[in-house]
């Protein structure tokens, strides 16, 4: 599954992710895969999903959302349609009623993303 994700046009190499975001990792935590979604970055580590939300015109402001896999209660994928060219992934965390939602352009294989989530949230 990780190989399929890394073959994706939106995929980012683990080395590049480690150089840019290595300071976010805990002791013994490893980056498994990651990819860019527009300006944002999704990083799958051995312990959690980190979503880097780039904000503002300059992109200098960033929010780092850390989601431990054991706190993900469910997720859904909405594929592209005839007029809607973006796919969407929703992730429900803990007891929150509203999911974290992200849109994906066609460079990201949303099926591979949900497959990786399915593997890591067991």
């Amino acid at each position: 599954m990780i190989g399929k994700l890394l073959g994706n046009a939106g995929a980012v190499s683990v080395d590049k992710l480690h150089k840019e975001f290595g300071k976010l990792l805990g002791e013994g935590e490893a980056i498994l895969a990651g990819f860019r979604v527009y300006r944002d970055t999704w990083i799958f580590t051995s312990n959690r999903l980190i979503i880097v939300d780039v904000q503002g015109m300059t992109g200098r402001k960033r929010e780092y959302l850390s989601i431990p896999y054991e706190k993900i209660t469910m997720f859904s994928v909405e594929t592209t349609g005839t007029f809607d060219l973006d796919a969407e992934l929703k992730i429900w965390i803990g007891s929150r009623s509203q999911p974290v939602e992200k849109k994906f352009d066609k460079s990201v294989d949303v099926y591979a993303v949900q497959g990786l989530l399915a593997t890591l949230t067991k």
Side-chain angles (χ1 to χ4, degrees):
M1 188 55 60
I2 292 174
K4 185 175 180 185
L5 186 62
L6 292 177
N8 194 318
V12 181
S13 78
V14 171
D15 289 338
K16 185 173 182 179
L17 290 168
H18 200 275
K19 285 177 188 171
E20 191 172 350
F21 302 108
K23 62 187 170 204
L24 298 174
L25 300 177
E27 188 175 328
E29 186 174 19
I31 295 174
L32 304 176
F35 56 96
R36 299 246 189 258
V37 180
Y38 302 108
R39 295 182 354 169
D40 300 342
T41 304
W42 284 49
I43 305 165
F44 290 89
T45 77
S46 52
N47 302 338
R48 61 194 163 132
L49 169 61
I50 302 170
I51 301 174
V52 183
D53 182 13
V54 177
Q55 302 172 354
M57 293 285 289
T58 63
R60 294 175 113 176
K61 183 176 179 180
R62 294 177 178 198
E63 176 184 28
Y64 300 94
L65 178 62
S66 177
I67 307 169
Y69 296 124
E70 64 268 10
K71 296 297 182 184
I72 296 175
T73 56
M74 66 180 169
F75 52 91
S76 71
V77 173
E78 181 180 303
T79 60
T80 59
T82 304
F83 299 106
D84 183 7
L85 301 178
D86 295 325
E88 188 173 324
L89 176 68
K90 296 178 185 176
I91 300 173
W92 283 264
I93 305 164
S95 61
R96 290 177 54 176
S97 61
Q98 296 298 314
V100 173
E101 299 181 46
K102 287 291 178 185
K103 290 190 180 284
F104 296 84
D105 65 14
K106 62 184 175 184
S107 73
V108 176
D109 181 353
V110 73
Y111 293 108
V113 175
Q114 75 86 33
L116 187 55
L117 272 171
T119 301
L120 294 170
T121 57
K122 287 182 179 178

